Amino acid sequence: MASEAPPVTTPVVLEPNLGTAIVTIYVGPKRKEFKIHKKLICGSADYFEKAFNGEFKEGREGIMYLPEDNSGAFSFFIDWLYRSSLPDGRTQSYLADLYHLWIFATKICLTKLADDVMDRIQDTCKKCNKLISDGLSREIWGLTETGSKLRRWAFDLKMYQMFENKECSEDGDDILHLIRGNRCKGLWEMLKNDFELFELFVVQFEYMAQHGDKVFPDPRRNREWNELYCNYHSHKEEKCVAALSKIKRRVSDSKKGKK
């Protein structure tokens, strides 16, 4: 079996004013070691600023332990800190690390990073035709809360996967084929403890029934399809900065094309 290709990263260009102070962070149950410029990590989030520049043990020793976090996701976080970008990849393990990075970004209140990660997840799943496993879905449910945008994405993707019925003619013409057999059990496992997602499913199911649809919408569609609505973003601003930026680029490209 061929080994998975590692994520592709860009060369590091260090800022000249990062200083010489280095902190050490051990991540995951196996305590993978990361050494990072203190100024950079503390400037990224209050979570690290208070730990390393406060009166906590981390501040005195310059060492932090994050045993419950994912080391692959943390390595992506370090890439993002030093390069201002996320590494590229195409594999399931790459996507799993992105999911965990979203969880970590939310934990330390970096909404911008979480939204960037969500965009990368959506784009990669579309480009590489990736879905989501039952195991990863359960893991996400266990690490997120009701109302989580990652949970909403995983739910929509799993529903599409479950209801992408390629044998509709054998199931009959009524929409009830969506909740027959094992599909119903899968639905119950996902929705029994999350009333908000249950409501979303009921609304979508009702819409599908009214319009005669027999498949759940594919959330992996190009983000142009729903970018104005930011379905999977966590930012609180009414207007999405990323969407507005993309619209401005389109207008600019259109004007250049007319010249």
Side-chain angles (χ1 to χ4, degrees):
M1 181 182 294
S3 59
E4 293 185 341
V8 177
T9 59
T10 56
V12 177
V13 179
L14 295 180
E15 295 183 17
N17 59 347
L18 287 180
T20 59
I22 300 293
V23 296
T24 303
I25 301 180
Y26 295 95
V27 183
K30 295 185 178 180
R31 295 188 173 184
K32 183 173 181 178
E33 181 184 82
F34 294 87
K35 290 186 177 295
I36 313 137
H37 285 88
K38 180 179 179 180
K39 184 175 181 178
L40 184 65
I41 193 77
C42 290
S44 69
D46 287 344
Y47 181 89
F48 296 108
E49 167 68 25
K50 293 178 179 178
F52 286 118
N53 286 324
E55 298 180 356
F56 298 102
K57 182 179 179 180
E58 290 86 352
R60 296 192 302 270
E61 300 180 355
I63 297 174
M64 175 182 281
Y65 295 91
L66 299 173
E68 297 180 356
D69 292 301
N70 180 280
S71 60
F74 195 80
S75 69
F76 285 6
F77 173 61
I78 299 303
D79 282 338
W80 181 78
L81 284 181
Y82 280 104
R83 300 178 172 88
S84 299
S85 64
L86 295 168
D88 293 320
R90 303 174 60 89
T91 65
Q92 287 290 7
S93 61
Y94 167 77
L95 279 168
D97 285 343
L98 285 179
Y99 284 121
H100 283 282
L101 178 56
W102 187 98
I103 293 167
F104 179 73
T106 302
K107 169 185 172 179
I108 62 175
C109 301
L110 282 183
T111 303
K112 175 62 169 61
L113 174 58
D115 288 346
D116 287 349
V117 171
M118 190 67 253
D119 288 345
R120 179 61 64 87
I121 289 172
Q122 192 172 352
D123 290 345
T124 302
C125 286
K126 174 62 178 178
K127 179 173 63 178
C128 303
N129 193 30
K130 299 293 187 181
L131 294 169
I132 190 168
S133 67
D134 290 340
L136 186 55
S137 296
R138 287 192 293 269
E139 191 172 2
I140 289 172
W141 246 251
L143 295 172
T144 57
E145 299 177 351
T146 297
S148 160
K149 294 296 185 178
L150 184 63
R151 183 180 287 197
R152 169 72 185 275
W153 159 261
F155 168 77
D156 285 352
L157 189 58
K158 195 62 183 176
M159 291 300 100
Y160 169 74
Q161 182 178 349
M162 291 171 63
F163 297 155
E164 188 188 20
N165 189 0
K166 298 180 179 179
E167 300 177 351
C168 289
S169 60
E170 297 182 7
D171 287 334
D173 294 330
D174 63 285
I175 197 172
L176 292 179
H177 78 275
L178 297 178
I179 54 174
R180 291 190 179 119
N182 292 332
R183 291 191 182 94
C184 190
K185 182 179 180 181
L187 275 173
W188 171 249
E189 290 299 321
M190 296 188 75
L191 301 175
K192 62 182 179 181
N193 295 319
D194 197 323
F195 184 74
E196 181 178 336
L197 285 183
F198 174 74
E199 284 187 307
L200 286 172
F201 172 76
V202 170
V203 170
Q204 182 63 47
F205 187 83
E206 182 179 24
Y207 176 87
M208 293 165 69
Q210 291 175 349
H211 292 79
D213 294 335
K214 297 183 68 176
V215 294
F216 201 86
D218 186 351
R220 304 172 303 167
R221 294 184 189 182
N222 292 331
R223 281 185 288 114
E224 285 79 358
W225 175 68
N226 62 6
E227 65 183 0
L228 294 178
Y229 304 97
C230 304
N231 288 352
Y232 308 111
H233 281 180
S234 303
H235 61 77
K236 296 181 180 179
E237 296 85 357
E238 183 177 352
K239 295 182 179 179
C240 176
V241 175
L244 291 175
S245 176
K246 182 174 290 187
I247 291 172
K248 289 179 180 178
R249 289 198 301 271
R250 286 183 189 164
V251 172
S252 177
D253 292 343
S254 177
K255 289 180 178 178
K256 291 179 180 178
K258 293 179 179 180
K259 291 181 179 180

